[in-house]
Amino acid sequence: MEEKENGQFTAREIFTQADSLREILRRAESRQRDLASVLPLSRYAEIVFTGCGSSYHISLCAARAWQQLTGRRTLALPSSELLHFPESYLGRESAPLVFAISRSGGTDETLLVVERLRSYCRTTVIAVVAQEGTPLGRSADAELAFVECHERSIVTTQAFTGMLYGLLLLGDSLGGLYHASELRRIPDLVKSSLTAHESLVRPMGEANRFRRFVFLGSGPLYGLAAEAALKMTEMALTPAHFYHTLEFRHGPKLIVSPETLAVILVSRPERAYLPLLMEEIADLGGEVLLIADGEVESSGSRISFAAEMMDDIFLPVLFAPVVQQLAFWRAMARGHDPDRPPTLVRTVKLSRQTAPERSAD
Ligand code: F1P
């Protein structure tokens, strides 16, 4: 058996991810050429993004961005939801373009939903994976294999950032390349963030005083709030919650105590509400960490990127490494191995019976 330290793969995957982003940027044009058989986008009235876990969270972020970049109607759903309730989301006459996202390309529900949609409506599938030769890749009409962000650890980190970045580059390219210069800056911004923010993020992750984490984000940042909570749960086995930022005020804030760290992923339209929200969290004894593009007024902890007012739809890629770092240091401080969380090692294979063929199909 290979001898390894706790978190050795995850650390490498988090802290060197700027390199894989750079490579994804370099290969963006050639990737689009591989999709020639399923384009142009004008063939599709709607675009669906689907996946499980982190891949579903990529879907949430990508769908918000593609709606804006391409002007197409977009939907983001967990694979299981679309598998069992397709009629709640798509008409039988629809002909959607479906991005089926899975780092491993082998997750049960994502394979099953592709099969189900093919019998349900006229579906074109693009597999988005982080390795070659996967069952999902084989079942799709086209494939985006982001091998640059392939991972060895069980918990998804750089593959979240990388696959999402690849989808944003593609969306911008198909939408007319209006954001090319903003997108090109991302790898360098991530690289400097990973070192510049370590001295703040590491002690916050390691701090014994926090027992509960809350991640708040809206619009394109909601998917990242969900992903951040998943990282905290999977890697550090610590209770974590996520909400649309201002929804937190309407009941959920009552979970705040002096043992709570609330991480607010700041979007532009909600900046004006930050002082009120932060005051409410402070009144309950909680601490706040703000993650924002540009300066924000706050007496508490904050991480500011100098991305010069980058569009909100690109911020999840910029902020993702920070929340990954936070969960990583929390896991290490608590003696967990982020490469191999005990609860995730066993997988249960779903059988086809979970996706019954319906007589009306
Ligand atoms: C799906 C997934 C991961 C998550 C966890 C369990 O994997 O939910 O996103 O981090 O490890 O599996 P995949 O379909 O993206 O390979």
Side-chain angles (χ1 to χ4, degrees), residues 286-297:
E287 272 187 52
V288 172
L289 168 65
L290 294 180
I291 307 181
D293 176 20
E295 283 306 319
V296 269
E297 279 198 24

Side-chain angles (χ1 to χ4, degrees), residues 50-58 79 101-111 128-131 136 151 153-157 159-160 163 227 230-231 234 341 344 347:
T50 193
C52 301
S54 299
S55 294
Y56 165 53
H57 302 150
I58 294 175
S79 302
I101 306 172
S102 169
R103 175 183 68 158
S104 61
T107 295
D108 299 327
E109 293 94 318
T110 308
L111 289 168
V128 181
V129 293
Q131 61 189 73
L136 187 64
E151 291 182 311
S153 75
I154 288 184
V155 174
T156 307
T157 54
F160 174 90
M163 291 195 285
E227 175 63 6
L230 177 64
K231 291 310 86 165
E234 275 185 325
L344 287 174
T347 56

Side-chain angles (χ1 to χ4, degrees), residues 12-43:
R12 192 182 319 137
E13 286 153 10
I14 293 175
F15 290 97
T16 66
Q17 61 185 309
D19 299 337
S20 60
L21 294 179
R22 228 172 254 134
E23 192 53 22
I24 287 167
L25 173 65
R26 197 183 65 78
R27 292 173 61 177
E29 242 182 87
S30 66
R31 276 222 167 85
Q32 191 177 325
R33 285 197 294 273
D34 296 343
L35 299 183
S37 65
V38 295
L39 294 175
L41 218 50
S42 54
R43 282 164 56 183

Side-chain angles (χ1 to χ4, degrees), residues 188-203:
D188 287 346
L189 288 164
V190 165
K191 182 154 182 98
S192 46
S193 159
L194 280 163
T195 34
H197 300 138
E198 179 78 346
S199 58
L200 174 66
V201 179
R202 182 171 179 169

